[in-house]
Amino acid sequence: MKKQICALCVAMFSTFSVASDGALPQTGTPAVLPIAERAEVVNKLLVDRLDNLLPQLMAESNLDMWLIVLREYQEDRLFYTLVPQPTMAARRTTMLVFTRNGDTVERFSVSRYPIGELYPTKWQGGTKEEQWQRLAQLVRERNPQRIGINVSKDWPLADGLSAGLHQQLVKSLGDDASKLVSAESLVVRWFETRTQLELAVYPQIVGIARSVIAEAFSNSMITPGVTTTDELGSKMRQAFADLDIDVWFQPYVTVQRKGDENAKDAPFFGRSNRTIMPGDVIHTDVGICYLTLCTDTQEMGYVARLGEHNLPEVFGEVMAKANQWQDLLTSEFKQGRTGNEILAATQKRAKKNGLVSSTYTHPLGFVGHAAGPTIGMWDNQGSTPVQGDWPLYKNTAYAIEGNVKVPLSIWGNQLIQVMVEQSAVYDGQTVHYLAGRQTEFHFIQ
C-alpha cells in the first residue's frame, strides 16, 4: 500500500522541486490534479491513516472505542477527515464506530447506508429507535472500558457531538454510558499528526500557494497606479478558483508607504483599500486547502520606482532580520516542550539579539488554524491557557508566523513591518520548510 501511494505521489509531483530554504524555482505553478483524480489520492492517504496511525493514537489516548455520531446538515470538520471522498454529507443519523483490538482498529457504521468501502454498516435499517438499540447492542458485545466521544470545553475541533445526540447516546447505552469520556486528546493528535505519505504531497500543496503569490506579486497581476489591494486579493482568489482549489479565507493585500504614521506598538502596519503605487511595500496573506491539507502563507514585495531596475539592497537587510527571527523560533522547537515554553524562549532570544518581533505561530493540517500547541497570538504575547500548554510532538506541521519591525533607511528610518509566514513540519529534531521560505522581497517592475 505505502509503495503504491508513494509511487503515485512521485508520478504526480516529479516536475516540482524546491530548496529547503529560499525562493521557489521559476517553473510556474505546480501541476494540479483534475477533480476526478483527487479522490484516489485522498482515499489512499486516509486508509493509511486509519490502518497505521489511528491504532497508535487510540492506544496513546487510552481509548478502547471511539464513537462519532452526527446528523445530516450537522457535519463537523472531524467527520470530513475520516470519510472517503467523495462524501458530501452525512446521511440521516450517521454513526461511526472504532474499536481497538491490539494493533488494529475495527471500523464500521451503524447507519442506513455504508460509507464507501471503508465503513460497512452493521444495521439493516428500521426506525430511529432501532438504530440506537443496534448501536447499544454492538457496544455491549465489544465491552470497551473507555469510550471516547467528541465533547470538549477547550478544543472546538473535538466538540462535535451535539447536546441532543449526547442525551440520546447516554439514554441508549444505559449502564455503558458510565464508560463515556472525552476524546479530545485523540482528536487533537488526529488533527495534528502528519503521516509520511502526507508529507510526500504537502510540499506540492504549499508550492502551489507560493507560486500563485509569486505570480500575483509581479507585473502579470499588478499595474502600479491602477491595481488596488482589494483587486489583487480577488485576482489571487480567482487564480485558485481556476485551479479548482479552495481558499479557507479571502486572500488580502496591504500596503506600507513612505510617510505612513504607524505607532511603534501598533500590532500591524499596512493598510488595505489602497491603489498600489511605485515605492510601496506590499504584503499578502493566503491560505488554501488541497488534497485535504491546508497552507498559510504571508510574503512581502516592493514596487519599483521610476529608474529602479534592481531591488534596493536594504530590503535584503530587513528580510534577513525576519529570517533571523524565524531561525530563533524554530531552533526552540524541542519535542515535549509546550507552545508557551517555546514562545518564552523565542522572545528572550529575540530581545537579546535586538529584534523587535511578535510571534503568533499555529499548527496546520486538515484546517488552517489547526489543533496542537499555540505559540503566541498576535493579540496575546503572553501565555495561552490550554492550547499553549499542549506539548510539541514530532511529525506535526506549523505556520511559522510572526513579524519584525525594522527601520528602513531609504524611508528616513521609518519603521516598516516585515510579516512572514511559511508552512513547515517538525520531524522530532528539525523544522523543515515544506516549500522553502521567502528570503528576499518580490520585486515588481
Side-chain angles (χ1 to χ4, degrees):
M1 176 65 72
K2 290 185 178 180
K3 289 182 180 179
Q4 182 180 2
I5 302 173
C6 287
L8 178 62
C9 295
V10 170
M12 288 164 45
F13 308 142
S14 59
T15 60
F16 177 74
S17 63
V18 65
S20 61
D21 185 20
L24 284 166
Q26 300 301 311
T27 56
T29 302
V32 175
L33 289 173
I35 291 288
E37 297 178 17
R38 297 180 192 181
E40 179 183 3
V41 177
V42 170
N43 292 341
K44 287 180 177 178
L45 296 176
L46 174 58
V47 169
D48 176 59
R49 288 181 65 87
L50 292 172
D51 287 349
N52 300 309
L53 178 62
L54 185 57
Q56 168 194 328
L57 298 184
M58 287 188 69
E60 179 185 293
S61 302
N62 193 26
L63 292 179
D64 304 300
M65 179 177 282
W66 186 23
L67 298 181
I68 295 174
V69 185
L70 68 164
R71 291 179 283 207
E72 194 169 358
Y73 304 122
Q74 186 236 334
E75 303 86 358
D76 67 347
R77 298 304 292 263
L78 175 64
F79 172 73
Y80 289 109
T81 72
L82 291 165
V83 293
Q85 294 301 312
T87 299
M88 309 305 291
R91 300 295 299 275
R92 302 182 186 177
T93 298
T94 295
M95 301 175 177
L96 301 181
V97 181
F98 302 89
T99 305
R100 181 163 60 96
N101 299 313
D103 294 333
T104 64
V105 170
E106 177 192 23
R107 61 178 183 266
F108 55 85
S109 69
V110 186
S111 309
R112 186 63 186 86
Y113 308 98
I115 304 179
E117 297 180 357
L118 295 187
Y119 299 97
T121 184
K122 291 186 178 292
W123 180 54
Q124 300 308 309
T127 65
K128 291 182 180 179
E129 182 180 356
E130 289 170 337
Q131 183 181 14
W132 285 100
Q133 290 172 350
R134 178 59 173 155
L135 174 63
Q137 178 188 9
L138 291 163
V139 171
R140 286 194 301 272
E141 290 173 358
R142 283 153 181 78
N143 192 30
Q145 299 307 299
R146 285 171 50 86
I147 306 171
I149 55 174
N150 299 327
V151 293
S152 174
K153 177 176 67 73
D154 298 307
W155 298 90
L157 291 168
D159 193 34
L161 182 63
S162 69
L165 290 177
H166 189 193
Q167 292 171 2
Q168 183 63 57
L169 179 62
V170 170
K171 177 182 176 181
S172 300
L173 291 184
D175 292 342
D176 282 329
S178 64
K179 302 175 180 179
L180 297 175
V181 297
S182 172
E184 66 178 17
S185 176
L186 170 61
V187 175
V188 173
R189 294 289 290 124
W190 174 260
F191 267 94
E192 74 170 350
T193 306
R194 305 274 64 84
T195 66
Q196 292 304 307
L197 298 183
E198 288 172 328
L199 292 177
V201 302
Y202 220 158
Q204 169 85 4
I205 300 166
V206 179
I208 293 168
R210 293 200 65 203
S211 67
V212 170
I213 293 173
E215 182 181 5
F217 276 21
S218 73
N219 57 17
S220 66
M221 287 197 191
I222 295 176
T223 300
V226 175
T227 306
T228 69
T229 54
D230 293 352
E231 288 169 347
L232 185 56
S234 294
K235 286 181 179 181
M236 283 191 282
R237 184 170 183 177
Q238 185 62 55
F240 291 120
D242 291 343
L243 295 170
D244 283 319
I245 287 179
D246 294 328
V247 298
W248 61 272
F249 63 88
Q250 170 65 38
Y252 67 89
V253 178
T254 61
V255 161
Q256 296 178 63
R257 183 170 292 163
K258 185 177 181 179
D260 283 350
E261 295 184 7
N262 297 311
K264 185 177 180 180
D265 59 353
F268 295 111
F269 297 175
R271 303 173 191 175
S272 57
N273 195 27
R274 275 180 154 177
T275 299
I276 298 171
M277 300 296 293
D280 282 346
V281 168
I282 60 175
H283 155 264
T284 190
D285 193 350
V286 171
I288 66 170
C289 298
Y290 172 58
L291 301 179
T292 74
L293 297 172
C294 299
T295 74
D296 204 354
T297 310
Q298 295 183 50
E299 299 199 4
M300 305 291 298
Y302 173 71
V303 184
R305 296 177 298 176
L306 186 64
E308 284 183 326
H309 303 293
N310 297 290
L311 182 70
E313 291 184 5
V314 66
F315 287 105
E317 298 169 8
V318 298
M319 181 57 74
K321 296 292 186 182
N323 293 151
Q324 181 185 13
W325 165 81
Q326 289 175 317
D327 293 340
L328 292 176
L329 168 62
T330 58
S331 67
E332 296 298 334
F333 276 50
K334 309 293 183 184
Q335 195 165 186
R337 268 189 175 180
T338 68
N340 289 330
E341 290 170 341
I342 295 170
L343 173 66
T346 301
Q347 291 172 326
K348 182 177 181 180
R349 292 185 62 191
K351 184 177 181 180
K352 183 178 180 179
N353 281 271
L355 296 178
V356 180
S357 65
S358 183
T359 301
Y360 35 96
T361 286
H362 60 84
L364 280 174
F366 292 131
V367 293
H369 291 153
T374 293
I375 308 172
M377 303 181 74
W378 73 265
D379 55 349
N380 176 23
Q381 287 294 282
S383 295
T384 299
V386 183
Q387 285 81 5
D389 294 323
W390 190 265
L392 184 70
Y393 288 88
K394 68 177 182 179
N395 296 332
T396 49
Y398 300 88
I400 305 300
E401 180 182 10
N403 70 71
V404 296
K405 293 173 181 175
V406 184
L408 188 65
S409 59
I410 60 174
W411 285 5
N413 287 328
Q414 174 181 319
L415 283 181
I416 69 165
Q417 189 175 48
V418 185
M419 292 165 276
V420 289
E421 183 175 21
Q422 296 293 347
S423 305
V425 64
Y426 173 66
D427 66 5
Q429 295 184 331
T430 305
V431 174
H432 303 276
Y433 291 99
L434 286 164
R437 63 171 173 173
Q438 186 178 23
T439 56
E440 60 181 36
F441 276 60
H442 296 277
F443 185 48
I444 300 95
Q445 290 184 281

